Amino acid sequence: MSPPAISGLTSEEVKQLRQRHGPNEVKAKQKPEWRKILRRYTDWVSLTILAAAIVSACVKNDGDRGWTSFVLLILELNLVVWAGYSPDRNAGNAIKELEELSAPTAYALRDGTWQDVPAKELVPGDIIEVKGGDVIPADCRLIGKGAGLKIDESSLTGESMAVSRGSGHQILSGAVVASGEMQAEVTSIGAETFFGKTIALLGAPEEKGHLFKVLNQISITLAILAFLLVIGIFVAAIVRGKGVGYAFIISFVVYVAVVPIGIPVVTGTVLAVGAREMAKEKAIVSRLSALEEMSGMEILASDKTGTLTLNKLTLDPEDIVAWEPYNIDEVLSHACLSAKWENNDAIDQAVTTAIGGNPESLSQFQIHSVVPFNPVDKKTSASVTGPDGSSFVTCKGAPQIIAALLKDHAAQKAAQEYIDQRASRGLRSICVADSHDEGQTWVLVGLISLLDPPREDSAATIKRAQELGVEVKMVTGDQLAIAVETCRRLGMGTDIMEGKELMSHASEDLSFAKKVNNQDGFAGVYPEHKHKIVSALQAKGRLIGMTGDGVNDAPALKKANVDIAVAGATGAAKGAADIILTEEGISTIITAIVNSRKIFRRLETYVIYRVACSLFIILFFFFAIVILDLEMPTWTVVVLSLFNDLSAMALGLDQVHSSNMPEIWNMLKITTVAIVIAVGGTGAVIILLIIASPTLVNGWPAFNTTLPRPPADQLAPELTDGAVVAIVFLGLMGLLQLSLLLTRNPSFWWYFSKKTAPRPSIFLVVPIAAFCLAGTFVAVYWPRDLQPDGGRGVIDGATWAPVGLTWAYIFVWWNFTDVMKWAVWKVFLKQEAIKEHCKMDDTQPPAWCRAMDAPGIWVSRTADCVSNALEEAWRSFVSSLRQTARRKPTRTELQANISRRLSKRELDGSLPPDAFDNNNSLPALSRAPARPTTAEAFQLESQPKGTRPSRLGQPKNLANAPACLLWQRVCQTWP
């Protein structure tokens, strides 16, 4: 091959140009960190906590202010904000570091050699090579010879049709090369590019996945329920004569304890941990909520080449077939004539390696032009002059494409037989032909077989995926026979559908969707077929994961539920993907599936616990205050809420098992299990209150227990009101904390196995034990004369005897609630197993299964509608506030305002009666003298107040001349 006519920039020139132009990057407009933190302080949950803190400090409770509650609520507010902000930031940093490791590169000519250069290091004047699938890294001008490029500029201009560009044409940064290959000279970089300044104003959109919608529904549902019951608490407290202050404070504090404050923290922690685990596996998670969505993935549509196989074709010289009059050496030389020797693909690398990898071996040929491979023609060609001076065109490519060009039927038949024989062995065939009449007629030169062997771990990985309930369907553009052989070697089914059959049906056709769903793979697939495959599978209600690597895969990736760009994918495919793999193969995908199901299990545990605790707290206080007339210090409620949120945050670090089947949100199961736990806990503490209260049952004498009453040396078989509050506080603390162990295990809390749950993490056990111990010491030793917030509701230590009995009572009720939870969960596990079996058999579940799903569907839809309505109302409210703040006052409003101010001053005696007549002079003011010059205005303002000359010809001793001057200027300038 002839050497390049240009040598590119030198290292010294690059250094100078980089100092002048900076890096080739456009930094999108990002929110500063302080704004991200401020946004967390101003969401509705944080504002609720802040409002409760202000109410506690400002509203008096029997003459006292709740400063202790104020401090605790502010502490909880900061804990929620910073604990939620930290994992998000850490996850973002981890992803950013991994993105830097897989930063896009450009193939640039520098110091006379072609080399891979990070795209951000390009400078104007660099010579680069662009080919099909590349995202253009900077504004460039095409140079040199070539057949031209097809450029997809839809992401920049909105034009869906690809445009043709040739030598001398300008191509824009961010556009995608659809096909072709040429050299280009960089003309502009970074913000200097045509679209750079516009792109710099844009930030990455914040997309909320299915997880955030579910959590938002739960939050709003709990908030509405709590609001309704808190109103009942407020009214009951006032009716019972507790005072407006106490009623207001206790209502606000209980509401804060019920709303799911920790949802952003726990969600952020769980997803951040998952993102870090994925980063260790060399996978970039570009959308965190995709980790949760992957847990429900049922089908993985995987590319064959490079993903299931090595994508390293090897050529067997003994398997080459030459067609007379050519020999094997001529077959190889013709194949290499239309090959690239630099920056070549796998096929070109295989054939050039077969002749030694040295282009000097073809020095007797003169190559005039080479048309590289593109996915449309599926062949490469070259115009060549041979050693004897004859000119001819040689090409190589897909056998079915080249065979269609041949006129010799015997050659066509031989080519088809060769394809079939090699395909049965999993070999890929390449057909070589030439033409001596400028492509009018083609003659077969020979046939070459190439082997792309499966990866060593592919078969085991696919088997593991099947064990996890994920069906792997192979998608390839290769021949049907090759696809069948590859599937057989990988242990997959061999029922393969061809791409041409896909285009003969509509993806919405349920019978066609069922047929697609039953296939093991797809062969002869073009990029437009992939979108149809995904659509047909989704029509059957399946959750689809899709792998891709090319620019044309982007639409199918966006259509899939989980989008995965494999190693070596183009920039366009990476931009459309949720997860970007930086190592070849699909073993990382299996790791992602396992991790995503662990993430789902942690989130499901937290949601059940949060719903159960919220229902527990609101139901108890509603019955205890409204019916049993309990007076509880507000700071104890805040402590319960704070400890509850702290221990719940530890769920993000708990040990969990990954499910063997895809996971989906079952809101009926979550709600039912939570209600069972909440009702059990509420009933337990209500009965405890009734037993402990000296005015109700006073059950302590039954245990022969003597209890202290003031003075300290007096003993009596009943508790003080403060000691009753301490016992109730302990009952709430113990059952709330121990409920964490109930929600994490679908079986009994103490039964650990691979099918249930592992032993709890130390990060979970320590806070539960610590908070239970703290509650115990408060219930035993809290002094009666120490009441932090004062006012109504006191707490008094109840000594060890009643506290010990209370713990025994808690333990019994806790296990009783665990049995009820296990029974309910077992019913739902049976239903889920039947539904999964019916889905695999494509049959309808039994009536009782469908009947159980109906309430959950109704609740989900209702919550979704309410959530959307509230979000829309809030957006409208905020928008109206912004419009009001930005609206300019009308002239009439200005006139009325200034007139009122002047009239008031006249009544106060600060304005002489002859200085301004509101009734008669107002119309005349619109014809006020011209605006003073800058010098005149400065002179007026510099004079002492009260001695400035009047613009209306009034006495100089006019105290309000500045107001009159303002009025004149308003009238002069108002349109």
Side-chain angles (χ1 to χ4, degrees):
M1 295 181 64
S2 58
I6 50 179
S7 60
L9 298 175
T10 64
S11 299
E12 184 62 29
E13 290 172 335
V14 170
K15 183 177 180 181
Q16 295 176 0
L17 288 169
R18 185 173 296 121
Q19 291 177 349
R20 185 188 311 168
H21 297 278
N24 177 34
E25 57 184 3
V26 180
K27 294 186 177 180
K29 186 178 180 181
Q30 299 290 343
K31 292 182 180 179
E33 295 300 318
W34 67 267
R35 287 193 65 182
K36 295 178 181 178
I37 297 172
L38 180 62
R39 184 175 181 181
R40 291 182 176 272
Y41 275 108
T42 54
D43 64 21
W44 73 274
V45 173
S46 298
L47 292 177
T48 301
I49 302 175
L50 184 60
I54 294 173
V55 168
S56 298
C58 296
V59 178
K60 291 185 177 181
N61 177 13
D62 282 1
D64 296 315
R65 299 182 187 275
W67 289 111
T68 302
S69 298
F70 173 82
V71 172
L72 291 173
L73 286 168
I74 294 299
L75 175 64
E76 185 173 19
L77 172 61
N78 285 281
L79 175 69
V80 168
V81 169
W82 289 99
Y85 168 73
S86 179
D88 280 354
R89 184 179 182 183
N90 292 338
N93 291 339
I95 293 172
K96 184 178 180 181
E97 292 173 2
L98 195 56
E99 285 177 339
E100 291 176 355
L101 295 177
S102 60
T105 60
Y107 199 58
L109 181 62
R110 288 183 178 175
D111 296 320
T113 60
W114 289 97
Q115 52 190 284
D116 287 318
V117 176
K120 69 177 183 179
E121 295 183 7
L122 291 177
V123 296
D126 262 326
I127 305 300
I128 63 173
E129 185 175 79
V130 291
K131 63 181 186 301
D134 288 349
V135 177
I136 299 171
D139 284 1
C140 303
R141 180 175 56 85
L142 293 176
I143 60 176
K145 298 180 181 180
L149 304 177
K150 288 286 187 180
I151 305 292
D152 179 7
E153 297 179 346
S154 58
S155 61
L156 303 177
T157 64
E159 176 59 48
S160 58
M161 297 296 293
V163 296
S164 299
R165 295 288 184 265
S167 182
H169 288 167
Q170 191 80 8
I171 55 178
L172 303 178
S173 174
V176 180
V177 180
S179 63
E181 182 177 357
M182 286 190 71
Q183 294 179 2
E185 180 183 0
V186 176
T187 56
S188 300
I189 63 171
E192 300 172 357
T193 60
F194 187 79
F195 285 95
K197 295 180 179 179
T198 302
I199 296 173
L201 300 176
L202 302 177
E206 297 182 0
E207 183 179 356
K208 293 185 178 181
H210 180 255
L211 169 64
F212 293 97
K213 295 178 182 178
V214 170
L215 297 180
N216 194 42
Q217 291 175 4
I218 293 170
S219 299
I220 292 177
T221 302
L222 289 176
I224 294 174
L225 177 63
F227 180 75
L228 296 176
L229 294 180
V230 160
I231 291 177
I233 294 175
F234 178 78
V235 173
I238 293 178
V239 170
R240 290 181 179 274
K242 306 297 184 182
V244 176
Y246 177 78
F248 205 63
I249 294 172
I250 193 66
S251 299
F252 247 111
V253 170
V254 169
Y255 185 77
V256 168
V258 172
V259 294
I261 294 170
I263 277 185
V265 179
V266 176
T267 304
T269 301
V270 171
L271 294 181
V273 170
R276 287 198 296 269
E277 290 176 352
M278 289 301 299
K280 294 177 183 178
E281 300 294 332
K282 302 298 182 183
I284 303 171
V285 182
S286 60
R287 184 170 62 91
L288 286 179
S289 59
L291 289 174
E292 177 268 336
E293 293 171 5
M294 180 174 274
S295 64
M297 186 176 71
E298 301 170 272
I299 295 177
L300 175 63
S302 174
D303 277 343
K304 177 184 77 71
T305 306
T307 304
L308 298 177
T309 60
L310 289 173
N311 194 24
K312 293 181 180 178
L313 297 180
T314 58
L315 185 149
D316 184 3
E318 297 181 358
D319 205 34
I320 299 175
V321 173
W323 191 256
E324 294 182 358
Y326 299 98
N327 56 41
I328 292 178
D329 291 337
E330 288 175 325
V331 174
L332 284 175
S333 63
H334 276 66
C336 293
L337 288 173
S338 59
K340 288 182 58 181
W341 291 81
E342 295 176 342
N343 193 26
N344 51 12
D345 58 22
I347 295 177
D348 285 348
Q349 186 175 9
V351 296
T352 54
T353 302
I355 64 170
N358 186 3
E360 294 299 326
S361 58
L362 301 178
S363 58
Q364 67 272 27
F365 295 94
Q366 184 177 0
I367 304 174
H368 302 292
S369 65
V370 176
V371 178
F373 178 86
N374 66 75
V376 178
D377 297 334
K378 291 193 174 184
K379 62 184 177 67
T380 64
S381 61
S383 297
V384 183
T385 299
D388 57 358
S390 62
S391 297
F392 61 94
V393 180
T394 181
C395 72
K396 69 175 184 297
Q400 68 273 22
I401 300 296
I402 304 300
L405 301 176
L406 304 176
K407 299 297 183 182
D408 187 349
H409 294 291
Q412 289 181 336
K413 183 178 180 181
Q416 188 59 49
E417 290 177 353
Y418 185 91
I419 295 169
D420 294 339
Q421 292 173 0
R422 270 62 184 179
S424 64
R425 297 162 48 196
L427 303 178
R428 182 173 182 175
S429 301
I430 296 295
C431 189
V432 182
D434 65 10
S435 173
H436 292 268
D437 54 3
E438 299 183 353
Q440 298 297 319
T441 57
W442 291 89
V443 177
L444 179 64
V445 176
L447 293 144
I448 299 172
S449 63
L450 302 171
L451 172 65
D452 180 16
R455 294 182 177 276
E456 293 181 1
D457 63 340
S458 289
T461 302
I462 291 173
K463 183 179 180 180
R464 175 59 178 153
Q466 293 169 347
E467 293 172 353
L468 293 173
V470 178
E471 184 180 356
V472 180
K473 295 183 183 293
M474 187 180 68
V475 180
T476 179
D478 286 337
Q479 295 275 341
L480 176 63
I482 297 176
V484 170
E485 176 64 19
T486 305
C487 284
R488 186 187 63 80
R489 294 192 178 199
L490 292 173
M492 302 170 62
T494 56
D495 190 359
I496 308 297
M497 177 183 287
E498 291 192 88
K500 59 184 179 182
E501 187 177 353
L502 287 167
M503 300 307 295
S504 60
H505 297 83
S507 56
E508 297 81 8
D509 184 356
L510 293 181
S511 60
F512 171 70
K514 182 178 180 180
K515 185 175 182 180
V516 170
N517 184 65
N518 293 332
Q519 300 298 312
D520 298 309
F522 306 90
V525 171
Y526 286 89
E528 59 268 23
H529 297 153
K530 294 184 178 181
H531 189 277
K532 199 159 189 178
I533 293 171
V534 174
S535 299
L537 292 173
Q538 288 177 335
K540 289 292 294 179
R542 312 297 293 273
L543 296 179
I544 312 301
M546 181 76 186
T547 68
D549 59 358
V551 58
N552 292 324
D553 292 334
L557 288 175
K558 278 295 183 184
K559 178 66 176 174
N561 301 97
V562 181
D563 327 324
I564 305 168
V566 298
T570 63
K574 290 179 179 179
D578 297 328
I579 299 175
I580 304 169
L581 306 183
T582 58
E583 288 188 349
E584 297 178 338
I586 64 171
S587 58
T588 303
I589 300 177
I590 302 304
T591 303
I593 293 173
V594 172
N595 289 340
S596 69
R597 294 182 183 178
K598 290 182 179 180
I599 289 171
F600 181 91
R601 185 60 61 86
R602 292 190 182 106
L603 291 172
E604 183 184 52
T605 300
Y606 171 73
V607 169
I608 295 174
Y609 175 70
R610 183 65 258 190
V611 174
C613 289
S614 296
L615 294 176
F616 183 0
I617 293 172
I618 192 62
L619 290 176
F620 168 76
F621 281 102
F622 181 79
F623 287 109
I625 295 176
V626 174
I627 299 176
L628 301 178
D629 195 21
L630 174 69
E631 290 184 357
M632 196 160 183
T634 56
W635 67 268
T636 59
V637 183
V638 178
V639 169
L640 285 172
S641 174
L642 180 61
F643 285 4
N644 189 30
D645 287 327
L646 286 172
S647 56
M649 291 175 190
L651 284 173
L653 303 174
D654 189 23
Q655 297 183 95
V656 293
H657 287 320
S658 174
S659 171
N660 288 330
M661 297 302 295
E663 300 273 19
I664 58 174
W665 288 99
N666 188 337
M667 297 309 298
L668 181 62
K669 179 181 74 174
I670 290 172
T671 306
T672 306
V673 173
I675 289 175
V676 168
I677 295 174
V679 170
T682 303
V685 184
I686 289 292
I687 295 174
L688 178 64
L689 173 59
I690 294 173
I691 294 175
S693 176
T695 60
L696 296 174
V697 174
N698 189 25
W700 303 110
F703 298 97
N704 195 23
T705 304
T706 56
L707 307 169
R709 287 180 58 84
D713 58 350
Q714 179 181 353
L715 298 178
E718 61 183 42
L719 290 176
T720 63
D721 291 339
V724 171
V725 170
I727 292 298
V728 170
F729 174 78
L730 178 61
L732 289 170
M733 179 69 75
L735 286 172
L736 283 171
Q737 294 298 319
L738 294 177
S739 293
L740 277 166
L741 301 179
L742 301 187
T743 57
R744 66 180 301 274
N745 197 334
S747 182
F748 301 111
W749 68 268
W750 47 265
Y751 183 71
F752 308 119
S753 68
K754 292 184 178 180
K755 293 184 178 180
T756 56
R759 285 179 170 79
S761 167
I762 188 68
F763 298 106
L764 182 63
V765 173
V766 168
I768 292 176
F771 296 148
C772 287
L773 188 62
T776 301
F777 279 103
V778 168
V780 173
Y781 294 114
W782 192 267
R784 185 177 182 84
D785 56 354
L786 179 59
Q787 304 300 325
D789 283 347
R792 289 185 175 273
V794 295
I795 185 171
D796 187 10
T799 71
W800 279 105
V803 167
L805 290 173
T806 301
W807 266 117
Y809 175 86
I810 289 173
F811 186 79
V812 172
W813 264 99
W814 176 46
N815 283 276
F816 175 69
T817 305
D818 192 28
V819 173
M820 293 191 298
K821 175 220 68 178
W822 167 79
V824 171
W825 209 310
K826 190 173 183 179
V827 172
F828 281 102
L829 289 177
K830 183 177 180 180
Q831 184 214 22
E832 290 174 355
I834 292 175
K835 287 171 59 179
E836 186 63 31
H837 181 73
C838 291
K839 179 180 283 189
M840 297 298 293
D841 294 342
D842 200 18
T843 57
Q844 193 175 36
W848 69 271
C849 289
R850 301 196 304 272
M852 286 183 61
D853 284 336
I857 295 172
W858 181 85
V859 169
S860 179
R861 289 178 179 175
T862 303
D864 195 18
C865 292
V866 173
S867 172
N868 293 336
L870 291 176
E871 287 182 357
E872 183 62 30
W874 176 254
R875 282 195 297 266
S876 300
F877 175 70
V878 173
S879 178
S880 63
L881 287 180
R882 290 176 177 173
Q883 291 177 2
T884 302
R886 296 173 180 172
R887 186 179 69 86
K888 293 182 179 180
T890 64
R891 175 172 179 164
T892 303
E893 291 171 343
L894 278 176
Q895 289 176 343
N897 185 33
I898 296 178
S899 178
R900 282 194 301 269
R901 292 172 57 191
L902 295 176
S903 298
K904 182 178 179 181
R905 292 184 180 182
E906 182 177 1
L907 293 174
D908 294 341
S910 59
L911 186 64
D914 58 347
F916 192 91
D917 186 350
N918 282 322
N919 295 324
N920 299 327
S921 303
L922 185 58
L925 288 175
S926 61
R927 299 185 297 274
R931 180 186 300 180
T933 63
T934 304
E936 291 174 341
F938 180 78
Q939 183 180 5
L940 289 173
E941 296 295 333
S942 63
Q943 294 183 15
K945 186 176 181 180
T947 63
R948 301 171 188 168
S950 171
R951 298 285 297 174
L952 297 175
Q954 301 298 334
K956 294 182 180 181
N957 193 21
L958 188 61
N960 292 285
C964 296
L965 182 60
L966 171 63
W967 172 250
Q968 293 175 41
R969 294 186 179 180
V970 168
C971 294
Q972 293 167 13
T973 59
W974 195 260

